Amino acid sequence: GINAEYMGFYSRMEAKKKEDKTVVTSDPKAETSIPKTILLCPCDNGIRTMQKLGRGTTGANKGPEAIFKALKTDIKPIAIPVEEFNTAKNEDTLKAHDVISTYTKTAKRPFLTLGGDHGITYPIIRGLAQQMDGNMGLIYIDAHYDMRPWEPEGLISSGNSFARIINDPAVKIKGENMVAIGVIPGDTEILKFMDAFAKKNGVTVFYQDQVNSATAKGIMEKALKIAGNGTKGIYLSIDMDALDVNKYAPGVSCFVKKGLELPDVITMVSMGEFCGADIVEVSIREKTWTGELDPKGAEKLAATAITATEIIKHIHLKLSLIHISEPTRPRLISYAVFCLKKKKNHI
């Protein structure tokens, strides 16, 4: 079954841990590599509204709980109450986003938000901007631009989150400080529009076929320089549909045929230090826009949540604990966290 297939993948990762040569150093001021403030945001109304356009699968509202469970931390999360707004109504998306911004404008920084669909990144940053003394940079890893134009009916969805960020000066993120990594281009009119919109607004795009084991480090070095140029902090957003669906992320809202390799994503996210981050689109794949159900949705959700935790453990928010020495390239296991746990077991 799919559960055994994907869980077996992580068993093989664990078996490789003795081969690792990573040097781990600790910051005595911190206690864990997982941020102290974790927000759970079970909003997938952006996907529900996207279904009116014949795209997406609901179920990302189950992602936050699944990821948090897989993290196995004693930290008490903050639940953002937005479930009631998962109605597919446009006005409820706006209400949910107002609630999200209310929480993030006061949440203790740096914080990690577990989503939810990718539409939540806009209100997260809108709230966070009120805490920041100056502009922010933004790096997002995604198979999609998420810069759709406003539909004729004014539809707000997970597909235009980053267009909203660019168009809202209150968010304090300029296109010239925004970097998209892993996007799959295409010849359709909507993809051409989004590509042109990104370029017009100065957004730097690294396409999926540009990212591999030889280029990942260089790409992230450029991304950090662009996002950090004249800004007070860099925000990181990760859509799990950027990863290969057959290897790492079977439970996402809108998967693609071929995605990024997990080691390359870990290499990239481990290089920077971020003022906040979110990880989104982990989904139980509840229902497609045609009403189809995924009978293995729960298993795919659990497997993808584990992949998400592997990424989270390598994200360095300010005041984070683990620093992995250069130039060692991370393998497919959270070695830093593993070594820390191993050390504690011998105390």
Side-chain angles (χ1 to χ4, degrees):
I2 192 166
N3 191 47
E5 177 185 352
Y6 286 96
M7 296 308 177
F9 170 77
Y10 287 95
S11 297
R12 292 192 296 275
M13 291 198 316
E14 183 72 11
K16 291 182 180 179
K17 63 182 179 289
K18 293 182 180 179
E19 301 174 11
D20 181 52
K21 304 300 182 183
T22 300
V23 177
V24 179
T25 59
S26 299
D27 178 352
K29 296 180 181 180
E31 297 179 356
T32 175
S33 62
I34 300 172
K36 297 288 182 64
T37 306
I38 300 178
L39 307 178
L40 307 184
C41 187
C43 177
D44 74 343
N45 208 44
I47 289 290
R48 293 171 192 263
T49 52
M50 274 291 286
Q51 287 191 330
K52 296 178 181 179
L53 304 174
R55 293 180 60 84
T57 303
T58 62
N61 58 316
K62 303 298 182 184
E65 183 179 354
I67 300 170
F68 186 78
K69 180 179 179 181
L71 276 174
K72 297 180 180 178
T73 175
D74 293 330
I75 296 171
K76 186 175 181 180
I78 299 172
I80 302 178
V82 289
E83 283 270 30
E84 66 179 286
F85 302 116
N86 292 331
T87 63
K89 296 179 180 178
N90 213 41
E91 59 268 28
D92 282 339
T93 299
L94 295 173
K95 291 176 183 177
H97 287 186
D98 285 343
V99 172
I100 294 167
S101 293
T102 297
Y103 273 76
T104 59
K105 73 180 181 182
T106 57
K108 184 177 180 180
R109 294 188 288 127
F111 57 79
L112 168 71
T113 305
L114 308 180
D117 65 51
H118 218 168
I120 69 173
T121 300
Y122 166 67
I124 289 171
I125 295 177
R126 186 177 65 183
L128 176 60
Q130 297 184 49
Q131 296 195 45
M132 301 293 290
D133 181 24
N135 290 341
M136 288 183 286
L138 170 63
I139 298 173
Y140 72 103
I141 300 175
D142 195 343
H144 307 97
Y145 290 98
D146 286 350
M147 294 183 179
R148 293 181 68 93
W150 274 250
E151 311 301 332
E153 63 272 29
L155 190 67
I156 302 297
S157 72
S158 58
N160 53 29
S161 184
F162 293 93
R164 297 181 76 197
I165 288 171
I166 288 174
N167 286 318
D168 187 348
V171 172
K172 301 179 181 179
I173 293 179
K174 299 177 181 179
E176 63 198 52
N177 295 125
M178 186 184 296
V179 182
I181 301 174
V183 170
I184 300 176
D187 294 328
T188 65
E189 289 302 314
I190 187 64
L191 288 174
K192 290 179 180 179
F193 172 89
M194 289 189 285
D195 189 68
F197 179 86
K199 291 175 180 176
K200 177 183 177 182
N201 286 280
V203 179
T204 300
V205 181
F206 293 102
Y207 301 107
Q208 187 189 82
D209 60 5
Q210 294 178 277
V211 184
N212 55 54
S213 60
T215 63
K217 182 179 176 181
I219 284 173
M220 196 59 175
E221 286 176 345
K222 292 177 182 177
L224 290 168
K225 184 176 181 180
I226 292 166
N229 184 23
T231 63
K232 296 293 187 179
I234 302 173
Y235 187 89
L236 176 68
S237 180
I238 301 171
D239 189 324
M240 290 297 293
D241 69 22
L243 283 89
D244 193 303
V245 64
N246 295 311
K247 293 182 180 179
Y248 315 112
V252 292
S253 303
C254 186
F255 60 79
V256 293
K257 291 182 179 179
K258 171 100 175 118
L260 301 178
E261 295 291 327
L262 179 58
D264 299 333
V265 174
I266 289 176
T267 291
M268 291 187 289
V269 303
S270 66
M271 290 174 60
E273 191 173 60
F274 305 98
C275 62
D278 64 59
I279 191 158
V280 300
E281 302 279 2
V282 173
S283 175
I284 199 170
R285 294 189 56 77
E286 185 178 40
K287 187 181 294 186
T288 68
W289 66 91
T290 59
E292 298 174 4
L293 303 177
D294 191 330
K296 294 185 177 180
E299 295 172 1
K300 293 179 180 180
L301 172 73
T304 307
I306 292 175
T307 302
T309 66
E310 285 298 308
I311 296 171
I312 289 168
K313 291 171 185 176
H314 289 86
I315 296 174
H316 304 317
L317 300 182
K318 291 184 178 179
L319 305 179
S320 61
L321 163 66
I322 304 299
H323 301 279
I324 301 178
S325 65
E326 289 287 358
T328 304
R329 172 180 168 77
R331 294 178 184 268
L332 298 186
I333 182 69
S334 179
Y335 291 112
V337 175
F338 170 79
C339 293
L340 179 63
K341 289 181 178 178
K342 185 176 181 181
K343 181 178 179 181
K344 286 184 178 181
N345 289 337
H346 288 290
I347 295 176

